[in-house]
Amino acid sequence: MTVEVKFFASLKERLGCDGAKVEIGEVATAADVWLQATGGKSLPSNVLVAINMEYTDAAQAVKDGDEVAFFPPVTGGRW
Amino acid sequence: MTVEVKFFASLKERLGCDGAKVEIGEVATAADVWLQATGGKSLPSNVLVAINMEYTDAAQAVKDGDEVAFFPPVTGGRW
Amino acid sequence: MRVELRSGAFQPWAELAEYERAAQLGTGVGATATFVGTMRDYNEGEPVLGMYLEHYPGMAERELSALVAAEVARFQLIDALVVHRVGALAPGDPIVLVAVWSGHRREGFEGCRAIMEALKARAPFWKRERTVGGERWVEKNTAGY
Amino acid sequence: MRVELRSGAFQPWAELAEYERAAQLGTGVGATATFVGTMRDYNEGEPVLGMYLEHYPGMAERELSALVAAEVARFQLIDALVVHRVGALAPGDPIVLVAVWSGHRREGFEGCRAIMEALKARAPFWKRERTVGGERWVEKNTAGY
């Protein structure tokens, strides 16, 4: 199956990539998608995961056509 | 001595008077001023007292020229 | 800091825009918290047609200034504004505007609320409501916390 | 209820005046609580020259709408408005406006604050500050309570 991967903010910069289409076997979790997309880098513990724009965790299964996003802790409230 | 007495809101209506100049002996408290101004009515326990626009209590001594106000509980926050 | 009583209607957002333009608070402000209390048309299940807000001239301004200054100091606020109506009001009219400016949001939220609670507890205002059943003095405040 | 992302500068008080004019919330509103978060020119003792606010398009709107709807239900708010900047900002620019309308002040104050805290914790925004020393991602939020 194919999933759409997205990276944001400092994670995007560190990986030098804002996303990719990833081909992966029929049974896979978000963590598997991360490994495939990053060429086997380990997933930092503070990275947040969203599938189809909803928060979830890395152990969640993905389906064909899903959008899988990885990003650092959000910083929307610096006042 | 002479003090200026003021009544507000429901108290003013009940007494039928918004205030008066009151002549009273040299040693007197706000409670004495109340008695003098109302012709001996008893002071309701929830009535607030201010001397020269500062909250105080009925046992406070007054001086010549003071403004002594009596009013019901304030209702400035009905939201 | 400004504390003001108004006998005519006011528009809170226009007041705020104008106050900020004049006050030039600078870019140290990170948070602005405001509260507007508006006259509702119902109270305890009964329609309210109008309201008269009596105040103690002189003491109302003095007490408001003192309580605002105390909360500005306590929460280290950069600035604060209070505008309060007196006299005759119609349903839907803004009665009070409280605005505070601070470095961070915690002080802003808490400072604004503290000013409202102090105002309610101490400022010498008395409300008289007009309903179909006649006029009545509002005898108690609502809980704030 | 409206949740909106903006790529250009906005004036919070003008937004509020316009929203109220259009929404016609009626005279059941007794309280309006608002919060404006503004870009400060200092952070941790260092001057900040500019900021870029990255967001996750689609998810940011979705998450904001969901969290606002949840707090509207929890505090029985009459209405709520959120306007949030994205992209490049200058010191002094408003970043976020949160406004809530309610029957009483308690729900107003608490609902407004709850939306701000949820926004901070969940909405996918990331801040990149520009200082004299270069650019840096802001790595953690400040405490809100």
Side-chain angles (χ1 to χ4, degrees):
Chain A
M1 62 179 171
T2 309
V3 298
E4 177 81 28
V5 178
K6 297 193 171 206
F7 302 113
F8 290 97
S10 58
L11 194 60
K12 171 172 71 182
E13 273 185 19
R14 267 208 313 280
L15 296 170
C17 170
D18 65 2
K21 278 207 188 306
V22 166
E23 288 291 329
I24 197 164
E26 285 310 297
V27 179
T29 64
D32 297 327
V33 171
W34 166 274
L35 288 171
Q36 181 88 352
T38 62
K41 288 195 172 65
S42 68
L43 180 61
S45 64
N46 69 342
V47 163
L48 300 172
V49 182
I51 297 180
N52 298 329
M53 302 186 181
E54 277 189 40
Y55 282 106
T56 183
D57 59 76
Q60 180 67 40
V62 298
K63 308 180 309 298
D64 186 48
D66 277 355
E67 177 172 305
V68 186
F70 301 95
F71 46 80
V74 302
T75 51
R78 196 170 189 79
W79 296 284
Chain B
M1 65 178 167
T2 309
V3 298
E4 176 82 28
V5 177
K6 298 194 171 203
F7 302 115
F8 290 97
S10 57
L11 194 60
K12 171 173 71 183
E13 274 184 16
R14 267 206 315 280
L15 296 170
C17 170
D18 65 1
K21 279 209 188 304
V22 166
E23 288 291 328
I24 198 163
E26 285 311 296
V27 178
T29 63
D32 297 328
V33 172
W34 166 274
L35 289 171
Q36 180 90 348
T38 63
K41 287 196 173 66
S42 69
L43 180 62
S45 64
N46 69 343
V47 163
L48 300 172
V49 182
I51 297 180
N52 298 330
M53 303 188 180
E54 278 190 41
Y55 283 106
T56 183
D57 59 78
Q60 180 67 40
V62 298
K63 308 181 307 297
D64 185 49
D66 278 355
E67 176 172 304
V68 185
F70 300 95
F71 46 81
V74 302
T75 52
R78 197 169 190 79
W79 296 282
Chain C
M1 202 189 105
R2 195 166 79 198
V3 164
E4 202 181 337
L5 300 188
R6 287 288 175 84
S7 54
F10 70 95
Q11 214 291 327
W13 317 127
E15 296 287 330
L16 284 162
E18 196 189 310
Y19 187 79
E20 285 190 342
R21 200 154 39 226
Q24 295 288 338
L25 300 171
T27 47
V29 172
T32 308
T34 80
F35 179 84
V36 177
T38 305
M39 191 192 150
R40 280 175 295 138
D41 57 356
Y42 266 81
N43 187 16
E44 289 169 12
E46 200 180 357
V48 178
L49 307 173
M51 196 172 77
Y52 185 84
L53 194 57
E54 183 170 332
H55 73 294
Y56 183 170
M59 183 171 172
E61 295 88 333
R62 182 189 177 124
E63 199 63 27
L64 282 176
S65 295
L67 70 87
V68 170
E71 302 304 340
V72 163
R74 180 153 74 110
F75 291 101
Q76 302 188 287
L77 304 175
I78 294 167
D79 203 0
L81 168 68
V82 173
V83 180
H84 205 295
R85 281 287 294 278
V86 294
L89 288 98
D93 277 3
I95 306 175
V96 60
L97 162 66
V98 175
V100 310
W101 291 265
S102 59
H104 293 84
R105 71 186 184 286
R106 181 206 298 258
E107 293 74 18
F109 277 123
E110 293 180 5
C112 185
R113 191 166 185 180
I115 288 173
M116 267 306 298
E117 298 307 318
L119 184 159
K120 167 190 100 78
R122 301 185 54 86
F125 294 111
W126 302 276
K127 290 183 177 147
R128 189 178 169 79
E129 288 177 347
R130 188 160 46 83
T131 70
V132 288
E135 299 204 0
R136 64 180 176 203
W137 290 98
V138 174
E139 288 299 342
K140 55 176 201 282
N141 276 313
T142 51
Y145 280 97
Chain D
M1 202 189 106
R2 195 165 79 197
V3 163
E4 202 182 335
L5 301 187
R6 286 288 175 83
S7 54
F10 70 95
Q11 214 292 326
W13 318 125
E15 296 288 329
L16 284 162
E18 196 190 311
Y19 187 78
E20 285 190 343
R21 200 152 42 227
Q24 294 288 337
L25 299 171
T27 47
V29 172
T32 307
T34 80
F35 179 85
V36 177
T38 304
M39 191 191 151
R40 281 176 293 138
D41 57 356
Y42 265 81
N43 187 17
E44 290 168 11
E46 200 179 359
V48 178
L49 307 173
M51 197 173 77
Y52 185 85
L53 194 56
E54 182 169 333
H55 74 294
Y56 182 170
M59 183 169 173
E61 295 89 332
R62 181 189 179 128
E63 198 63 26
L64 281 177
S65 296
L67 69 87
V68 171
E71 303 303 341
V72 164
R74 179 152 76 110
F75 291 100
Q76 302 189 287
L77 304 175
I78 294 167
D79 203 1
L81 168 68
V82 174
V83 180
H84 205 295
R85 280 287 295 277
V86 295
L89 288 99
D93 277 4
I95 306 176
V96 60
L97 162 66
V98 175
V100 310
W101 290 265
S102 60
H104 294 83
R105 70 185 185 288
R106 181 206 300 260
E107 294 73 19
F109 277 123
E110 293 180 5
C112 185
R113 191 166 183 178
I115 288 174
M116 265 307 299
E117 297 307 318
L119 185 159
K120 168 191 99 77
R122 300 185 55 86
F125 294 111
W126 302 275
K127 289 184 177 145
R128 188 177 170 80
E129 288 177 347
R130 186 159 49 83
T131 69
V132 288
E135 299 203 359
R136 63 179 177 206
W137 291 98
V138 174
E139 288 300 340
K140 57 177 199 284
N141 277 312
T142 51
Y145 281 97

